Amino acid sequence: MEEKILYLPLKKKWYEMIESGEKPEEYRENKLYWCKRLYKDGDWTTGEFKPYTHVVFTYGYTRRRMKWQIKKMLMKFGNPAWGAPTDKMVITIVLGERVE
């Protein structure tokens, strides 16, 4: 199967939490920009995400990076300690194994 990679820059805190294994998922707000980027046909009403297989996180816009398999993507209330808002659902990228 061909890899389809999603590239996401992160702030230091979130990058280090994912790198250490403390944070097993990443969040994105359910806004037009992310819907177009993550949902098939840019339409969140279908509930179908694009077939990304991996995510590459970068430490800001530096060359420091790490690659993870994506287990699944879904809409849910996230963990506020991991950066999710407390009052709304977010697009959640659940991470699998680290690659490379």
Side-chain angles (χ1 to χ4, degrees):
M1 180 168 76
E2 184 181 334
E3 286 186 358
K4 183 149 170 74
I5 301 173
L6 173 64
Y7 292 89
L8 297 175
L10 298 176
K11 291 183 177 181
K12 177 182 180 181
K13 178 179 181 177
W14 310 128
Y15 186 94
E16 290 178 347
M17 286 178 78
I18 290 173
E19 187 175 47
S20 72
E22 181 181 348
K23 184 180 179 199
E25 51 193 33
E26 176 58 17
Y27 307 116
R28 290 294 180 254
E29 289 189 59
N30 192 24
K31 297 204 172 202
L32 183 60
Y33 174 82
W34 289 111
C35 286
K36 284 183 177 182
R37 194 159 173 208
L38 300 175
Y39 283 99
K40 283 187 179 176
D41 301 322
D43 183 8
W44 66 272
T45 59
T46 65
E48 290 186 54
F49 288 96
K50 290 182 180 177
Y52 288 108
T53 60
H54 294 80
V55 59
V56 171
F57 296 112
T58 60
Y59 184 84
Y61 290 95
T62 68
R63 291 184 181 184
R64 186 174 167 192
R65 58 187 59 216
M66 59 184 161
K67 183 178 180 182
W68 294 79
Q69 291 178 338
I70 295 177
K71 265 191 194 174
K72 61 184 171 181
M73 291 197 287
L74 64 150
M75 283 291 298
K76 71 171 195 164
F77 287 97
N79 184 338
W82 296 338
T86 57
D87 60 339
K88 54 186 156 184
M89 294 179 77
V90 289
I91 299 168
T92 304
I93 302 164
V94 181
L95 303 176
E97 297 292 317
R98 186 170 178 177
V99 181
E100 296 173 17

